[in-house]
Amino acid sequence: GNSVTQMEGPVTLSEEAFLTINCTYTATGYPSLFWYVQYPGEGLQLLLKATKADDKGSNKGFEATYRKETTSFHLEKGSVQVSDSAVYFCALSGGSNYKLTFGKGTLLTVNP
Amino acid sequence: GAGVSQTPSNKVTEKGKYVELRCDPISGHTALYWYRQSLGQGPEFLIYFQGTGAADDSGLPNDRFFAVRPEGSVSTLKIQRTERGDSAVYLCASSFQSGGPGDTQYFGPGTRLTVL
């Protein structure tokens, strides 16, 4: 079956540091890949997505590239802000009903 | 426009009781999903509706769990004879379902269920 493995947290960075959160997946066929973010006290919201190999998703300074050869979708940001503090979830969907399979989440804390 | 709404936001019940959790999806979205998120974990799929029918209920943990969507809009997740292990945040999501796995699912704020 489908599965997602993402970097264990928590991750603590200083403002303006570089961020990488690793995500690898196992899936049959050609899944779509997502990063969702959950800010404190809020619901899950889509951060970015990529639907085919070599696509790059980007939003709010975050980027992730769909790498089929390494089955990875690592999240990066060049300079994090305090407001980026949140839990980040990597997810995939594929097959006929498009249900999402999530990783366990990575808690990011950015200090001023 | 309005997003996905879920009620109640919190529900505390006693072991053995029956509970209903409601989801109101974004207007016009034909696909609706229920997920369950335990503490420190990612959401796990429970059931998927396309219109009024449950297209995939393979994630429901046992026959105490049931969900309906009678008119293709609002959905209700029903849990009978609740157990302490059912305590979690129950999330609902909807999507337009244009036909591809890249469809974005929009999540509600969740219902936090606590079984004492």
Side-chain angles (χ1 to χ4, degrees):
Chain A
N2 296 339
S3 67
V4 174
T5 302
Q6 68 178 96
M7 181 172 148
E8 296 273 337
V11 174
T12 302
L13 296 173
S14 297
E15 205 163 25
E16 299 183 3
F18 183 84
L19 168 71
T20 299
I21 301 177
N22 290 337
C23 172
T24 58
Y25 68 90
T26 301
T28 54
Y30 302 93
S32 292
L33 301 173
F34 304 80
W35 278 99
Y36 276 83
V37 60
Q38 191 167 35
Y39 297 104
E42 298 185 17
L44 273 172
Q45 53 187 277
L46 179 69
L47 180 60
L48 53 84
K49 68 180 184 183
T51 58
K52 61 182 188 294
D54 299 325
D55 269 2
K56 178 186 284 187
S58 61
N59 186 25
K60 299 182 180 180
F62 290 88
E63 293 184 339
T65 301
Y66 187 158
R67 300 288 188 199
K68 188 163 176 62
E69 63 276 12
T70 55
T71 62
S72 65
F73 193 55
H74 304 320
L75 182 68
E76 296 182 336
K77 186 173 186 181
S79 176
V80 293
Q81 305 300 311
V82 172
S83 58
D84 294 326
S85 298
V87 181
Y88 292 82
F89 293 92
C90 184
L92 68 83
S93 73
S96 60
N97 67 18
Y98 318 138
K99 66 184 179 186
L100 289 167
T101 300
F102 286 87
K104 290 187 175 182
T106 302
L107 173 62
L108 170 66
T109 302
V110 180
N111 295 318
Chain B
V4 177
S5 62
Q6 293 185 245
T7 54
S9 55
N10 280 285
K11 176 71 176 177
V12 180
T13 191
E14 294 180 343
K15 181 175 178 297
K17 299 291 188 183
Y18 168 84
V19 296
E20 289 189 351
L21 311 179
R22 176 189 167 108
C23 171
D24 208 331
I26 294 172
S27 177
H29 281 192
T30 59
L32 185 146
Y33 300 80
W34 283 98
Y35 296 85
R36 179 167 72 172
Q37 186 175 17
S38 300
L39 193 63
Q41 303 295 316
E44 294 181 327
F45 169 77
L46 295 176
I47 187 169
Y48 157 66
F49 288 89
Q50 182 57 256
T52 59
D56 182 353
D57 64 359
S58 62
L60 295 177
N62 51 60
D63 61 5
R64 294 187 298 106
F65 289 75
F66 189 71
V68 295
R69 195 186 184 198
E71 297 178 357
S73 178
V74 171
S75 176
T76 305
L77 178 65
K78 308 180 181 196
I79 310 174
Q80 298 178 322
R81 305 183 303 281
T82 52
E83 300 178 356
R84 292 194 180 90
D86 298 335
S87 297
V89 176
Y90 289 81
L91 298 171
C92 176
S94 69
S95 72
F96 182 68
Q97 198 71 27
S98 62
D103 285 352
T104 297
Q105 293 184 25
Y106 297 87
F107 282 81
T111 293
R112 182 176 298 279
L113 176 65
T114 303
V115 182
L116 301 177

